[in-house]
Amino acid sequence: MTATARQHALDQVLELVGLLNDDMTKALGRSGLTVPRAHLLWVLVQRGPVTQQQLADSMKVSPRNITGLVDGLVGTGFVTREPHPTDRRASLVSLTEQGASTSAALQDGQRALAEQLFGGVPPERLRGFSSGLDDVLARLRELTAEGS
Amino acid sequence: MTATARQHALDQVLELVGLLNDDMTKALGRSGLTVPRAHLLWVLVQRGPVTQQQLADSMKVSPRNITGLVDGLVGTGFVTREPHPTDRRASLVSLTEQGASTSAALQDGQRALAEQLFGGVPPERLRGFSSGLDDVLARLRELTAEGS
DNA sequence: TATTGTTATACTCTATAACTATA
DNA sequence: TATAGTTATAGAGTATAACAATA
């Protein structure tokens, strides 16, 4: 009985993951971005100009992969790759104006999405949802920490 | 005030999406599968042997893509591709024993995950979570139906 | 010697367009 | 003429390994 309730909850979560993934992919595509490229942009918004090594660490991805993502973003005008002022081995990746304004627009879009998804949910119910999610996230973080 | 609560809820959901995606990718990798290949297997579990065209429709992906996914799954022994009994243009894709038993194991893993994630959540709280999710899913389905 | 990033190589997922075989 | 699937081509994300330049 409760086991089926838990199974149902997981099914719901998996459907959510799929729908949200599709929605994000489409929205980013309209801005000329992909999910990994938007992720990189987001790191730059949070951390400011950084080296590719730091990007690789932040995104938990190989340095080779960062080279490719930055190449793409330079090509489409979202970031610049400039020589590092003190370390001549390294590059410094920065947002262009276009990169910064697009990132801001994406954030606005996210705020709008939050309103669309949760705007009609009564506060009491939203609290319950959010608390339940906290429990689930705590467990998931443990699992992924172990499993790495 | 409530706007920040809604924003927080979306942040939680996005973290959930990321963690769950990583967890699934790793778990499937241990079984020699990827997310799209597991998706294909899952369609076969539900529908039985089908043509590649039917797979393309079910998965909302190009026929060319199905050719590649089936090639990979045939190569790793999860499915077979056999001539269709009545339509000589078409192939019939079926689960092998290995494909069926791996699919069953994945389902067991999912049941276990549901227990790990929700097992410690009190029934009352789980109900609240699930109800909230229902609201959110309804809105998301509308959004993705429009935006397509 | 250690670190930064690139080139070389390879695999997976994805798409469109042209083409073959069959209906 | 329409449908099923493949070949041809292309692009994005991912990884490891070898290597050059610099620290």
Side-chain angles (χ1 to χ4, degrees):
Chain A
M1 180 67 181
T2 32
T4 43
R6 295 196 271 270
Q7 192 59 53
H8 176 63
L10 181 57
D11 287 343
Q12 288 178 298
V13 166
L14 292 178
E15 184 182 356
L16 180 71
V17 169
L19 289 176
L20 218 46
N21 230 323
D22 291 350
D23 184 68
M24 285 193 303
T25 301
K26 273 181 206 159
L28 291 173
R30 284 190 285 270
S31 297
L33 288 169
T34 62
V35 169
R37 289 181 188 185
H39 183 186
L40 196 155
L41 251 44
W42 183 234
V43 173
L44 293 181
V45 167
Q46 292 178 301
R47 305 190 46 181
V50 290
T51 66
Q52 297 192 182
Q53 192 54 236
Q54 290 172 307
L55 285 171
D57 292 341
S58 286
M59 296 175 65
K60 287 171 186 167
V61 112
S62 70
R64 176 60 185 95
N65 200 351
I66 296 295
T67 298
L69 293 176
V70 172
D71 282 351
L73 286 165
V74 167
T76 45
F78 291 98
V79 307
T80 59
R81 181 197 269 126
E82 285 168 42
H84 191 285
T86 65
D87 186 340
R88 290 204 297 168
R89 293 170 304 180
S91 314
L92 211 52
V93 181
S94 312
L95 288 171
T96 60
E97 254 188 54
Q98 180 195 347
S101 66
T102 302
S103 298
L106 292 178
Q107 260 191 287
D108 286 346
Q110 235 187 53
R111 274 185 220 105
L113 179 61
E115 293 307 310
Q116 284 181 297
L117 291 186
F118 302 115
V121 181
E124 179 58 31
R125 197 154 172 154
L126 182 59
R127 249 191 306 278
F129 175 70
S130 207
S131 306
L133 241 184
D134 262 337
D135 294 348
V136 171
L137 279 174
R139 274 168 191 74
L140 241 187
R141 286 195 208 98
E142 285 169 29
L143 280 185
T144 50
E146 290 166 16
S148 69
Chain B
M1 181 66 180
T2 33
T4 44
R6 295 195 272 269
Q7 192 59 52
H8 176 63
L10 181 56
D11 287 343
Q12 288 179 299
V13 166
L14 291 178
E15 183 182 356
L16 180 71
V17 169
L19 288 175
L20 217 46
N21 231 323
D22 291 351
D23 184 69
M24 284 193 304
T25 302
K26 272 181 204 158
L28 291 173
R30 284 191 285 271
S31 297
L33 288 170
T34 61
V35 169
R37 288 181 190 185
H39 183 185
L40 196 155
L41 251 44
W42 184 235
V43 173
L44 293 181
V45 167
Q46 293 178 300
R47 304 190 46 180
V50 290
T51 65
Q52 297 191 181
Q53 192 54 235
Q54 290 174 307
L55 286 171
D57 292 341
S58 286
M59 298 176 64
K60 286 171 187 168
V61 111
S62 71
R64 175 60 185 95
N65 200 351
I66 296 295
T67 298
L69 293 175
V70 171
D71 283 349
L73 286 165
V74 167
T76 46
F78 290 97
V79 308
T80 58
R81 180 198 269 127
E82 285 168 45
H84 192 284
T86 65
D87 186 340
R88 289 203 300 168
R89 294 170 303 179
S91 314
L92 211 52
V93 181
S94 312
L95 288 171
T96 60
E97 255 188 53
Q98 180 196 345
S101 66
T102 301
S103 298
L106 291 178
Q107 260 191 287
D108 287 346
Q110 234 188 52
R111 274 185 219 105
L113 179 61
E115 293 308 309
Q116 285 180 297
L117 291 186
F118 304 114
V121 180
E124 180 57 32
R125 195 154 174 155
L126 182 59
R127 249 192 305 279
F129 174 71
S130 207
S131 306
L133 242 184
D134 262 337
D135 293 349
V136 171
L137 280 174
R139 274 167 192 72
L140 242 188
R141 286 194 209 97
E142 285 170 28
L143 280 185
T144 49
E146 291 167 17
S148 67

